[in-house]
Amino acid sequence: MRVSTKKTLLVAFVLALPFFCKADETTSKNAVMSIIKENKLEVVNYDYALSKFGNGTKDTQKAVFIDARPLKKFESGTIPSSIQINDSEFDEQIKRIDKVAKDDEIVVFCQGWECQKSANVAARLKKLAYTKVKLYQAGYPDWAKNNYVQVGANVVKNAIENNSAMLIDARPNTQYKNESIASAINVPDTQVDELVGRFPSDKNTRIIVFSQGNDCKKAHVVAQKLVSLAYKKVMIYADGLPAWKANGLKTTRSSCDCDSKNEPKAPKNPFLGPIKKGLDEGTVDPQWFLQNYKNLPKDVSIVDVRKSSERGGGYLPFALNVSVEENDVESFAKKLPKGYVIFHCTAGSRALEAYQKAKKAGLKNTVYLDAAAKCVKDECEFTPNEALDPVDW
């Protein structure tokens, strides 16, 4: 009789679970709505969030995206280029946006309508006098259903170990051949239409795209193409190859026996006119550039090859702007200044493409800066990338 009673109680409990869960969800939603009402928070939808997204990189976004979830959730998937500020660690993590102006727009999100964290963070931001705080309460689940997401290195590692995703390197083929994340295929963003056949036939395949780091838009371009083709599980590893290598993770070079033949060797003829050559073919020596770029010889020019729309956040005032993406080979070559030219972009990949385009046009006095560039107003900070394939050129 006692056993029968226990079974009866267990069955009753199981049958009641949906009711309890529904009640819990309702309670959570009510708590969120109370915070929204009390703090007069403005709630926005996916279309609004998308309108502020730009091309996915921080410098093109029209709002600062804040993920209010814990770090583990953030690293497993987030809206690209978001900043993590968890409500339980708010006082410490608010420093992450100390350079954000009080009148800049901020979009806060978390795990959906049952998640109070985004409302808590948005309310505290308003109390700190941030005047344009928006709440994307449908949050990460809603975004992931409609668009590509950003993941951390652990997700990429697990995907490689379990063979559970296709990895795509969106950088130029030259960089891919020199070094990439082991097992990745190459679909450069500039050739995505002609190489669309490399994408899997199953639209539910998990796909992780990466390029040269957080400021490089190439991974975003390929990811957006995949989304437009109705692929459902598209991700980017925005930290890219530089961070992967910095963490000592496996690359196509670290997994091969190639140390001896790839020892850096300075070119026998170290200068191209007045410009000191770098170790990789076509590059300018980064240290020489850092020491001289503000006072270059009169016959040397710097050309910013980004789109003009990308220069809103900052640029070198003495650099000519000729977009490598918006000009064919002939037009690009005609717009370049006479003398010697150094190309630069945001992360180094488009500068390489500019060098290749100039070379195809028959120009011999051009080099590119293989470095990340962060520009604010009329100042730029350059962080050189590691030489990939030292040769005597």
Side-chain angles (χ1 to χ4, degrees):
M1 180 70 179
R2 187 176 299 169
V3 173
S4 176
T5 302
K6 286 182 177 180
K7 286 184 176 179
T8 301
L9 290 172
L10 179 61
V11 170
F13 175 75
V14 171
L15 291 174
L17 273 176
F19 170 78
F20 290 132
C21 291
K22 189 67 176 178
D24 187 57
E25 287 180 8
T26 302
T27 301
S28 297
K29 286 183 179 179
N30 288 341
V32 170
M33 294 306 297
S34 177
I35 298 170
I36 291 172
K37 184 177 180 180
E38 179 182 348
N39 294 278
K40 299 179 180 179
L41 299 175
E42 182 179 350
V43 179
V44 299
N45 59 15
Y46 168 77
D47 289 336
Y48 186 89
L50 181 63
S51 73
K52 302 295 179 178
F53 185 63
N55 70 19
T57 57
K58 280 188 174 70
D59 62 339
T60 63
Q61 289 180 334
K62 299 175 183 177
V64 177
F65 284 78
I66 292 180
D67 188 336
R69 299 173 304 158
L71 181 61
K72 188 173 182 179
K73 287 285 188 181
F74 173 79
E75 291 181 338
S76 67
T78 189
I79 296 176
S81 297
S82 296
I83 298 170
Q84 189 241 352
I85 300 181
N86 185 15
D87 64 338
S88 62
E89 300 172 275
F90 184 89
D91 291 335
E92 176 63 27
Q93 295 179 353
I94 188 63
K95 298 173 185 176
R96 295 174 178 174
I97 60 167
D98 57 3
K99 293 183 180 179
V100 174
K102 296 292 186 179
D103 59 350
D104 283 351
E105 187 163 355
I106 298 175
V107 177
V108 189
F109 66 95
C110 61
Q111 198 62 27
W113 280 98
E114 294 79 33
C115 179
Q116 298 180 35
K117 291 179 174 294
S118 50
N120 289 337
V121 169
R124 294 189 70 172
L125 287 170
K126 284 194 70 175
K127 289 176 181 177
L128 291 177
Y130 288 94
T131 60
K132 295 180 181 177
V133 180
K134 304 295 195 309
L135 185 62
Y136 176 30
Q137 191 58 35
Y140 176 74
D142 187 53
W143 182 273
K145 181 177 66 178
N146 291 287
N147 216 320
Y148 69 101
V149 301
Q150 177 178 312
V151 297
N154 285 337
V155 174
V156 184
K157 284 172 56 182
N158 290 335
I160 294 172
E161 291 169 2
N162 299 313
N163 194 27
S164 60
M166 171 183 280
L167 264 67
I168 295 178
D169 187 336
R171 300 173 306 148
N173 185 252
T174 303
Q175 290 183 315
Y176 168 76
K177 288 192 295 185
N178 283 330
E179 185 171 24
S180 186
I181 296 177
S183 80
I185 68 167
N186 185 218
V187 181
D189 68 315
T190 55
Q191 297 175 272
V192 66
D193 289 326
E194 62 188 273
L195 298 178
V196 71
R198 295 185 181 180
F199 296 149
S201 57
D202 183 358
K203 301 291 176 119
N204 287 308
T205 303
R206 291 175 74 213
I207 303 175
I208 303 174
V209 191
F210 67 93
S211 54
Q212 196 61 23
N214 285 287
D215 295 320
C216 184
K217 72 172 189 175
K218 291 180 174 295
H220 296 274
V221 172
V222 175
Q224 288 160 10
K225 179 66 174 182
L226 286 162
V227 170
S228 74
L229 293 173
Y231 285 90
K232 306 297 183 185
K233 299 176 181 178
V234 183
M235 310 169 190
I236 65 164
Y237 171 49
D239 289 341
L241 183 65
W244 186 264
K245 290 171 60 180
N247 288 321
L249 299 170
K250 187 176 180 180
T251 71
T252 52
R253 286 174 68 86
S254 64
S255 60
C256 73
D257 184 19
C258 50
D259 292 340
S260 60
K261 68 180 182 180
N262 286 310
E263 292 177 357
K265 295 180 180 179
K268 292 179 182 177
N269 299 312
F271 283 87
L272 177 68
I275 299 173
K276 187 174 182 181
K277 297 177 180 178
L279 296 176
D280 288 330
E281 180 184 347
T283 61
V284 57
D285 180 87
Q287 297 308 318
W288 180 91
F289 178 84
L290 291 174
Q291 292 170 8
N292 294 281
Y293 79 92
K294 291 185 177 181
N295 189 28
L296 289 167
K298 63 180 180 181
D299 56 344
V300 179
S301 303
I302 297 176
V303 173
D304 181 347
V305 300
R306 299 175 298 165
K307 293 180 179 179
S308 59
S309 58
E310 296 179 64
R311 287 160 54 93
Y315 59 91
L316 289 175
F318 49 85
L320 181 67
N321 180 219
V322 183
S323 170
V324 68
E325 297 163 277
E326 298 172 320
N327 289 282
D328 58 26
V329 172
E330 184 178 356
S331 299
F332 184 73
K334 285 183 178 179
K335 293 178 181 179
L336 296 179
K338 294 180 180 180
Y340 295 88
V341 174
I342 301 172
F343 299 119
H344 96 81
C345 62
T346 303
S349 295
R350 280 181 287 175
L352 166 59
E353 291 171 350
Y355 167 74
Q356 293 172 331
K357 188 168 279 190
K359 188 176 179 180
K360 190 173 182 180
L363 302 181
K364 299 180 179 179
N365 293 334
T366 65
V367 293
Y368 72 97
L369 176 65
D370 189 12
K374 291 188 176 181
C375 299
V376 178
K377 296 183 179 179
D378 60 354
E379 289 289 336
C380 293
E381 179 183 343
F382 298 97
T383 306
N385 299 318
E386 180 185 352
L388 293 175
D389 189 23
V391 293
D392 181 18
W393 62 284

